[in-house]
Structure formats: C-alpha cells, structure tokens
Amino acid sequence: MKKLVFATKNKNKLAEVKNLLSGTDIELINAEKNFDPEETGETFEQNALIKARAAAELMNMPAIADDSGLVVDALNGRPGVHSSRYEATDEKRINKLLNELKNIPEEKRTARFLCSVAIVSEKGNELFKTTRVCEGKITFSPKGVHGFGYDPVFYLPGKNATMAELTMEEKNTVSHRSRAFKQAAEWLLENYG
Ligand code: ITT
C-alpha cells in the first residue's frame, strides 16, 4: 500500500476521498486531532501546501491536503479561500450567501467550486499539486440533504440537481474534489512508493 496522511479536519472531505480511492493501492491515514494549521495563504494552492506540510511535520510522513472553496462571479470571487471562514456554520454560510445574492438574477448567479490538492514528502518538499474546478450556479433556496458546505445551493445544470441532491458516489463523478484527487491518485500510482 502507498500510505500518506490526509491533512484535513473535515470528515465529509475524508469520506468523499476515501470513497473515491477505495479499490486503489492508496491508503489515507487520518491526521492527528491536534492538526489545526493556520490557513494564511492567498490562494487555494498555497493553503493546500500549508496544510500538507503541517501534517507531514506532525506525523513525520508524506501528506496530501485539499484546500477548496466556492467562487461566485457576482461577488467578485468571494467567498473564495475564505469559504469556511465566511460564517460559523454551514447554515449561516448558506444564508449569508443567499442574502448577498438576493438581487442577482438567475443568469448572473454563475459560480464554481475549486479544489487544490498538494502532496508533500515527509520533509515537506512539494511533490505534486493540481487545481480542478466544477462549474454551476447558486440557487435561490437550499435543496437536497447530501454532502456538506454549500452543496444545497450549488446547482449543476448538467444534472438538473443541486450537489446536495446527489449521492456521494454521484458527487464523486462530477465534483472539483474528485477531479483533483483522481489526478493526484494517477500521479501517486505512477510515481510514489
Ligand atoms: P480542512 O481545512 O481541515 O481540510 P475545511 O472544511 O476548513 O477543512 P477548507 O479550508 O478547504 O476546508 O474550506 C473549504 C470550505 O469550502 C468548506 O468548509 C465548505 O464550506 C466549502 N466547500 C469546499 N468543498 C465543498 C464541497 O464539495 N461542497 C460544498 N462546500 C464545499
């Protein structure tokens, strides 16, 4: 097995990525409970590297991390890298977003999820990084019970559904995270261990 730490505190991310990598030769180890680096980067890539390096140092192992978020055109790219800090809970984040967009018509509610994945060696050297996107639109009200974060208000035109109306397996066929981790997995299977 190719073992590395997945540097995240987000249980939903962990579940999605474990589901995606099941059946491969890659085993993800959970980061320790006291893993909590400050995300001081200005880009998703910088923050993914910060998290991966912090986990590698803490666990003395190679590490992989995901920094992701929602980029909304009508908000000039916000909440962006501040997606998790935009408000305190998923419900408050969604309410704030819908409120900020309340006067924006349907055709101008375009948005995308971004996911940067970084892999570092146990010494913290950068080995691989990628950023992948999933395009959609922000709805006027939440719909669906699956997923996490902004999924209930993220509409996928190709699926005629919000991300939260998809099962985890369906989300993993289209999401920013699945696209980025599939690339990372290909790199790992060819180059690592
Ligand atoms: P870690 O840093 O520990 O991985 P986190 O939840 O703080 O966990 P991020 O800093 O990458 O993760 O912030 C990502 C935020 O963007 C997340 O909290 C959600 O609000 C949102 N987000 C990212 N991916 C998402 C997805 O697939 N569906 C819905 N919202 C998502």
Side-chain angles (χ1 to χ4, degrees), residues 7-10 13 16 35 39 51 66-70 80-81 83-84 90 93 113-114 148-151 163 171 175-177:
T8 186
K9 309 177 297 292
N10 184 321
K13 282 187 185 178
E16 284 180 17
F35 169 75
E39 295 176 26
K51 288 188 243 187
D66 149 339
D67 195 62
S68 45
L70 180 68
V81 289
S83 290
S84 68
D90 280 349
R93 287 187 266 270
F113 277 128
L114 264 78
F148 69 99
Y150 301 91
D151 283 343
M163 199 76 116
K171 180 175 175 181
S175 80
H176 49 312
R177 179 163 302 102

Side-chain angles (χ1 to χ4, degrees), residues 70-78 101 104-113 135-139 154-155 157:
L70 180 68
V71 171
V72 180
D73 291 325
L75 300 178
N76 297 319
R78 283 188 299 112
L101 293 176
I104 305 293
E106 199 252 312
E107 69 274 11
K108 295 205 174 126
R109 297 172 77 96
T110 47
R112 61 207 53 79
F113 277 128
E135 298 283 344
K137 276 185 170 180
I138 306 303
T139 58
F154 191 82
Y155 177 76

Side-chain angles (χ1 to χ4, degrees), residues 20-192:
L20 196 75
L21 298 182
S22 65
T24 72
D25 218 15
I26 301 163
E27 186 186 344
L28 296 181
I29 314 288
N30 297 358
E32 278 174 18
K33 291 227 163 37
N34 55 349
F35 169 75
D36 194 14
E38 216 187 322
E39 295 176 26
T40 53
E42 283 170 13
T43 64
F44 293 106
E45 281 198 355
Q46 286 170 3
N47 280 333
L49 267 172
I50 287 171
K51 288 188 243 187
R53 286 194 170 122
E57 194 179 343
L58 189 70
M59 309 279 286
N60 205 20
M61 278 181 73
I64 187 165
D66 149 339
D67 195 62
S68 45
L70 180 68
V71 171
V72 180
D73 291 325
L75 300 178
N76 297 319
R78 283 188 299 112
V81 289
H82 300 289
S83 290
S84 68
R85 290 163 276 174
Y86 186 53
E87 257 298 347
T89 64
D90 280 349
E91 196 186 340
K92 287 183 179 167
R93 287 187 266 270
I94 284 177
N95 286 340
K96 180 170 174 181
L97 178 67
L98 293 181
N99 199 37
E100 284 202 87
L101 293 176
K102 67 173 186 271
N103 295 321
I104 305 293
E106 199 252 312
E107 69 274 11
K108 295 205 174 126
R109 297 172 77 96
T110 47
R112 61 207 53 79
F113 277 128
L114 264 78
C115 177
S116 290
V117 169
I119 301 174
V120 303
S121 70
E122 64 183 70
K123 295 205 161 22
N125 295 323
E126 179 182 323
L127 300 177
F128 173 86
K129 64 177 192 258
T130 187
T131 300
R132 284 290 176 267
V133 174
C134 178
E135 298 283 344
K137 276 185 170 180
I138 306 303
T139 58
F140 288 88
S141 58
K143 210 170 171 200
V145 296
H146 301 291
F148 69 99
Y150 301 91
D151 283 343
V153 290
F154 191 82
Y155 177 76
L156 296 153
K159 295 272 175 195
N160 190 22
T162 68
M163 199 76 116
E165 292 182 283
L166 306 185
T167 63
M168 185 192 290
E169 287 75 15
E170 287 169 335
K171 180 175 175 181
N172 268 346
T173 65
V174 293
S175 80
H176 49 312
R177 179 163 302 102
S178 66
R179 289 176 178 151
F181 273 90
K182 273 179 197 157
Q183 257 214 319
E186 274 169 30
W187 184 87
L188 282 168
L189 294 172
E190 269 177 35
N191 299 286
Y192 178 81

